Amino acid sequence: MDSIVIKGGKRLEGTVKVSGAKNAALPLLASSLLAEGASTFRNVPELADIATMGKLLSSMGCGFERGTGRKSTSITVTVPPAADLEPIAPYELVKTMRASVLVLGPLVARYGKARVSLPGGCAIGARPIDQHLMGLEKLGATISLEHGYVQAKARSRRLTGARINFDVATVTGTENLIMAAALAKGTTVLENAAREPEVEDLARSLNAMGAQIEGAGTDRIEIQGVDSLQPADHDVIPDRIEAGTFLVAAAITGGDVFVEGCVPDHLEVVIEKLREAGALIEARDGGVRVRGPKRLKAVDVKTQPFPGFPTDMQAQLMVAMAVAEGSSVVTENVFENRYMHVQELSRMGANIAVDGKTAIVKGSARLSGAPVMATDLRASASLVLAGLCAEGTTTVQRVYHLDRGYQRIEKKLRALGAEIRRVKA
């Protein structure tokens, strides 16, 4: 397995461009199943998870082609007629990526049935799909679980609109049911819906395909079902978590970095916390400039669904607090097993004590480079950040997690002045 080797202590300076959002691209690619023909998506990052979605769609009979050269961020998905598509998502592909479950809604909506393996992905806690299944049942699907697979079938060949109130806000659940309801007969109302920018981006694309969706970005979304949709032609939004990671990288190294493509409205709480910690952050045309202080100040953080502080930025912010002046309290309210990076940060000298969903972080003047092992996607990013501000050399192992969500992060950081390289297995 590849490793990332970092020699810390370099101040980051310059401009870094944010790639397209993985968590927006995956549901968008799945939404192509709703329309026969060729859908085109631009600004799609080159990531392992995107490749997995491509293999999944190809296994069903779809064409999946990434552009070359200057068009390398463009992907075309060609969906065959319904009779030629195999609505099955096999375990071999789904086990590596939880987002594979996003094909469930489109398949049942357009093809009337689906057989999808129960999902895998990062081991950061229980992420059941009960809300997806509850919603599909209310839309008129029969659901059964057999041999590790979800078997779903529309009772009357076409789903029927319904009022669905999520017990908890779920991003992929909201996305799955928006896609399912887009072709359902009648009106569907989703209450307590996820409000993330990626949900809004999906709704924008679907509306351009001919769907009738209102309220995306709020906790109440209304979908008027239509008979058919046209293929998509859509630009994916920038990745707010990648952008936030670069904001933290600049802040902890006392750097001066322009994060091109960063949308301030997508990271309002993260920016607010970094400002509170002493970073100078200003929105500019086309992105955000961040200047880090000599040393950050401790701030408290509680993760919440959007528009709260994102759980996907918790590990990165914890690194900043590990080298900040003072003590901070980090509370993880979204996933119950998202402190696996703490043990590795402790190997680098971080002073962190975990009690349930709360972590007490006592800032140290510096961290020490050490060999560490990534346990999940965002933990990987936090260890790279820790290496940037540590004395000596840090080797981050098992970076295949990192490659699931960050496009060539070592090259982007090296262009900003970091002493970082990838070592091939």
Side-chain angles (χ1 to χ4, degrees):
M1 299 180 190
D2 291 358
S3 301
I4 298 288
V5 180
I6 310 133
K7 187 174 181 181
K10 301 294 184 180
R11 181 175 185 263
L12 301 188
E13 294 183 272
T15 297
V16 62
K17 186 174 181 179
V18 178
S19 300
K22 179 198 78 161
N23 288 339
L26 290 171
L28 286 165
L29 292 170
S31 75
S32 64
L33 291 166
L34 292 167
E36 181 180 333
S39 289
T40 300
F41 303 97
R42 289 171 294 275
N43 198 33
V44 181
E46 297 181 57
L47 300 172
D49 277 7
I50 300 297
T52 298
M53 181 61 81
K55 292 176 183 177
L56 178 57
L57 292 171
S58 297
S59 75
M60 297 179 189
C62 300
F64 188 90
E65 184 178 0
R66 184 180 282 278
T68 59
R70 295 180 64 183
K71 294 185 178 181
S72 64
T73 63
S74 176
I75 284 179
T76 299
V77 181
T78 305
V79 178
D84 297 332
L85 188 135
E86 188 73 20
I88 298 175
Y91 170 74
E92 290 72 21
L93 294 173
V94 176
K95 68 179 181 180
T96 63
M97 186 182 71
R98 174 182 163 76
S100 301
V101 76
L102 286 164
V103 301
L104 181 59
L107 288 176
V108 179
R110 181 160 181 255
Y111 306 95
K113 60 182 179 179
R115 185 171 186 262
V116 177
S117 173
L118 291 169
C122 283
I124 58 173
R127 294 192 284 178
I129 62 168
D130 59 309
Q131 298 298 293
H132 304 233
L133 304 184
M134 173 273 293
L136 286 173
E137 286 185 320
K138 288 194 173 183
L139 291 175
T142 58
I143 305 290
S144 62
L145 300 178
E146 300 176 7
H147 309 294
Y149 279 79
V150 175
Q151 303 266 17
K153 188 174 183 179
R155 284 192 287 268
S156 58
R157 182 60 182 85
R158 185 180 178 188
L159 298 174
T160 304
R163 182 175 295 273
I164 299 166
N165 195 327
F166 292 107
D167 295 331
V168 294
T170 161
V171 177
T172 53
T174 299
E175 291 165 342
N176 233 338
L177 294 177
I178 285 176
M179 291 186 283
L183 291 180
K185 185 179 180 180
T187 302
T188 298
V189 176
L190 305 181
E191 301 280 5
N192 194 27
R195 300 165 60 184
E196 273 72 2
E198 294 80 11
V199 174
E200 283 192 84
D201 201 35
L202 174 63
R204 275 193 296 270
S205 179
L206 289 171
N207 281 339
M209 295 168 68
Q212 297 181 22
I213 303 167
E214 295 182 355
T218 74
D219 61 4
R220 185 184 187 277
I221 301 174
E222 185 170 318
I223 307 106
Q224 180 65 46
V226 297
D227 292 335
S228 63
L229 296 174
Q230 299 301 312
D233 186 344
H234 187 75
D235 293 324
V236 180
I237 59 173
D239 194 310
R240 61 192 172 101
I241 304 303
E242 183 190 18
T245 301
F246 286 125
L247 293 180
V248 174
I252 63 176
T253 61
D256 186 350
V257 174
F258 179 69
V259 184
E260 182 181 345
C262 177
V263 181
D265 288 348
H266 293 176
L267 283 169
E268 188 173 346
V269 179
V270 174
I271 290 172
E272 178 184 317
K273 285 297 177 182
L274 288 174
R275 282 176 173 156
E276 186 181 339
L280 299 176
I281 301 178
E282 55 181 321
R284 292 191 170 186
D285 186 27
V288 169
R289 181 186 182 189
V290 55
R291 286 171 285 174
K294 187 174 181 180
R295 188 178 180 190
L296 293 167
K297 297 176 292 185
V299 295
D300 296 338
V301 171
K302 294 182 180 180
T303 66
Q304 299 285 352
F306 190 86
F309 193 95
T311 181
D312 280 352
M313 282 299 301
Q314 177 255 105
Q316 298 92 309
L317 199 282
M318 186 177 285
V319 173
M321 295 303 95
V323 294
E325 183 178 357
S327 296
S328 58
V329 179
V330 177
T331 307
E332 174 56 57
N333 291 311
V334 179
F335 293 123
E336 76 279 5
N337 195 25
R338 204 155 203 182
Y339 284 140
M340 291 188 290
H341 50 282
V342 169
Q343 182 175 348
E344 300 302 299
L345 290 175
S346 297
R347 287 173 47 78
M348 301 178 68
N351 188 344
I352 306 170
V354 175
D355 182 10
K357 65 180 184 178
T358 301
I360 308 297
V361 186
K362 295 182 179 179
S364 306
R366 61 183 60 85
L367 300 177
S368 299
V372 290
M373 186 173 294
T375 54
D376 61 74
L377 171 54
R378 303 308 171 186
S380 304
S382 74
L383 296 176
V384 170
L385 293 181
L388 292 176
C389 61
E391 286 186 340
T393 300
T394 299
T395 301
V396 183
Q397 301 172 14
R398 290 174 54 177
V399 295
Y400 63 85
H401 288 294
L402 193 70
D403 295 337
R404 290 184 50 235
Y406 292 89
Q407 181 175 317
R408 295 187 285 274
I409 191 173
E410 72 277 9
K411 292 184 179 180
K412 291 185 178 184
L413 289 171
R414 190 160 56 243
L416 295 175
E419 193 167 333
I420 181 172
R421 60 191 172 91
R422 178 181 290 258
V423 177
K424 291 290 185 181

